[in-house]
Amino acid sequence: MKLSIIATALAASVGLASAAPAIVWKSGGSSGPSHISDAIDARSLLSSVVDSDGEGDSSSSALAAVVFLVGREADGSEGLASLASSGKIPGVKGLYLTADEVHHHVRGMESSRTVARFAREGGRGSGDRVVAEVSMEEFRRKLASMAQTEVEGGDDAEMKITKAEQRRRRAISEADVLVVSVGVNEDPAKIDAAIVAAIDSSVVRSVVLSSVRSTAEVKHARKLAVGERFAKKAASNAGRRLQEEDAAAAAATTEGVYYVNMTPNIFAGLLFFFMFAFTAHLGLSCMNMIEGQTVYVKKYPHIGREV
């Protein structure tokens, strides 16, 4: 009965969230989870988790944090809500009451790469953290090697590992923050066992269980961003309209006032000058066309003999 109540509470906490939820376990135990409904961005959440000193565990080789990031379902919905509501992770539901914090609205849970970048930035206050993105199998190998409960292979098996794989394992061994990508198609029993093992492990200081935000939330966030952009553009246009209205108001104060390039007397003088010049030119041209005889004789021809 108690387990069913916890399962219902866990499903409600992750199923009704409008953004990606996050459940945080920290070393040292807890009297019960504190539910935080205020929106928080992933960078701030990871900063508070990664920078936590982990009271009761002063080992420098311990993992500072392990972040389990559940992927989306095939329909684009949030994967963690589906796992919690279907009862496929009973171990996590059993440890739900031992969590320290339950954040119902975490923004920025885009992908494992984004979460890893936020974790690196969050650890700058106490020294740069070494963050690695790992799979479920790589996390189990890392946890087993740290707890010294399992030895995989021998010298012969180690010789068969490629150099790329050796570099990969070396980078994971040096990391103190792991971001575990959990696919929705993986075995739920293995997912549950890995999360429970991380919570119960003495070498892990903090465990964060979250999910990649759903496609609907991504569309909603983009819609909000477009709305903010249009609001800024509208404010800019409103300012421009106010300036145009001010200019129109200033022009209205001088309505009925006109400016000309010359006075009426000057304009009349110019018209008379052009008319006089045209008349004088026309008269002189007509007078220039009058021609007379060029030869004068003393004796005129007889009358009738003008030819």
Side-chain angles (χ1 to χ4, degrees), residues 113-126:
R113 180 174 300 178
T114 304
V115 173
R117 186 178 75 252
F118 289 161
R120 294 187 188 97
E121 296 173 355
R124 288 177 180 174
S126 59

Side-chain angles (χ1 to χ4, degrees), residues 3-17 21 23 35 78 80-89 92-93 96 102 104:
L3 184 59
S4 63
I5 295 175
I6 295 174
T8 304
L10 177 59
S13 66
V14 300
L16 300 179
I23 308 172
H35 294 266
E78 184 187 309
L80 180 56
S82 176
L83 287 176
S85 59
S86 61
K88 295 180 180 179
I89 47 176
V92 176
K93 293 178 180 178
Y96 177 71
V102 177
H104 296 270

Side-chain angles (χ1 to χ4, degrees), residues 206-219:
S206 300
V207 177
V208 179
L209 175 59
S210 186
S211 175
V212 177
R213 62 180 186 169
S214 63
T215 306
E217 187 201 347
V218 174
K219 293 180 179 178

Side-chain angles (χ1 to χ4, degrees), residues 179-195:
V179 179
V180 185
S181 298
V182 181
V184 293
N185 296 326
E186 295 190 28
D187 188 2
K190 293 182 179 180
I191 297 175
D192 187 45
I195 298 174

Side-chain angles (χ1 to χ4, degrees), residues 19-215:
I23 308 172
V24 181
W25 289 269
K26 296 182 180 179
S27 60
S30 173
S31 59
S34 58
H35 294 266
I36 303 173
S37 58
D38 295 337
I40 184 174
D41 58 283
R43 182 181 284 104
S44 301
L45 174 63
L46 295 174
S47 177
S48 63
V49 173
V50 172
D51 288 341
S52 176
D53 293 332
E55 297 179 1
D57 187 4
S58 60
S59 175
S60 59
S61 61
L63 285 171
V66 177
V67 182
F68 291 92
L69 195 65
V70 183
R72 296 192 187 101
E73 293 285 347
D75 58 355
S77 61
E78 184 187 309
L80 180 56
S82 176
L83 287 176
S85 59
S86 61
K88 295 180 180 179
I89 47 176
V92 176
K93 293 178 180 178
L95 295 174
Y96 177 71
L97 291 180
T98 63
D100 288 75
E101 298 174 356
V102 177
H103 296 270
H104 296 270
H105 193 127
V106 182
R107 296 172 300 189
M109 289 293 185
E110 302 288 347
S111 62
S112 59
R113 180 174 300 178
T114 304
V115 173
R117 186 178 75 252
F118 289 161
R120 294 187 188 97
E121 296 173 355
R124 288 177 180 174
S126 59
D128 292 340
R129 296 289 188 183
V130 181
V131 183
E133 304 174 44
V134 298
S135 62
M136 291 289 295
E137 183 62 31
E138 291 173 333
F139 167 71
R140 285 193 292 266
R141 188 185 301 116
K142 167 76 173 181
L143 192 63
S145 63
M146 293 184 67
Q148 296 181 356
T149 58
E150 179 179 291
V151 178
E152 296 185 357
D155 295 337
D156 294 337
E158 188 69 23
M159 292 297 294
K160 296 180 182 179
I161 299 176
T162 62
K163 293 183 179 180
E165 182 65 21
Q166 291 179 6
R167 288 194 298 269
R168 172 69 176 171
R169 292 192 178 187
R170 188 180 304 110
I172 296 175
S173 64
E174 295 174 354
D176 51 6
V177 176
L178 298 181
V179 179
V180 185
S181 298
V182 181
V184 293
N185 296 326
E186 295 190 28
D187 188 2
K190 293 182 179 180
I191 297 175
D192 187 45
I195 298 174
V196 172
I199 296 172
D200 294 337
S201 177
S202 60
V203 297
V204 179
R205 297 176 183 174
S206 300
V207 177
V208 179
L209 175 59
S210 186
S211 175
V212 177
R213 62 180 186 169
S214 63
T215 306

